[in-house]
Amino acid sequence: RWKVVRILVTEGTLLGVIGGLLGAGIGVIVTAIVQKVGIVMPPPPGAVFEWVAQPALVPSAVLSAFILAVVTSILASIWPSVKAVKMEITASLRVSN
C-alpha cells in the first residue's frame, strides 16, 4: 500500500518540478523583456516627471520560487495519497463517481 503513496507523491513532485521550471523560465523571460522595454510609471503625488521602472532579475528569488513550487506540490500530494491508500477500492470508486 505504501508503494502507492510513494508513486503518487513522486508524481506530485514531478509535476511540481515541471511547473516550477516552467514558471521560473517564463518569469525570467518576462523580466528580461520588461528590463529592456521598461514600464513607464506615472509621477508620484507632487512630482511632475514620469519614471521608468526596470525590474531586476534576482537569481535567489528565482531559486526560492522554484523551491516553493516543488515543496508545495510535495506537501499537497501527501495527504490525498495517504487518504486514498486507506480507502477500500470499492469505496474510492463510489466516491469518484
Side-chain angles (χ1 to χ4, degrees):
R1 286 188 161 204
W2 293 106
K3 281 185 177 183
V4 174
V5 171
R6 191 175 56 177
I7 290 169
L8 293 172
V9 171
T10 302
E11 180 184 354
T13 303
L14 288 174
L15 287 172
V17 168
I18 292 168
L21 287 173
L22 285 172
I26 291 170
V28 166
I29 291 168
V30 169
T31 302
I33 291 170
V34 172
Q35 274 181 340
K36 291 190 186 296
V37 175
I39 300 175
V40 178
M41 303 298 288
V48 192
F49 299 104
E50 298 176 335
W51 60 283
V52 178
Q54 294 177 312
L57 186 59
V58 181
S60 62
V62 176
L63 181 63
S64 296
F66 171 74
I67 291 171
L68 181 64
V70 174
V71 169
T72 302
S73 66
I74 291 170
L75 293 177
S77 65
I78 291 174
W79 183 70
S81 61
V82 170
K83 187 175 176 184
V85 165
K86 290 182 179 181
M87 291 179 75
E88 291 293 323
I89 294 174
T90 54
S92 64
L93 290 174
R94 266 187 262 126
V95 169
S96 66
N97 288 333

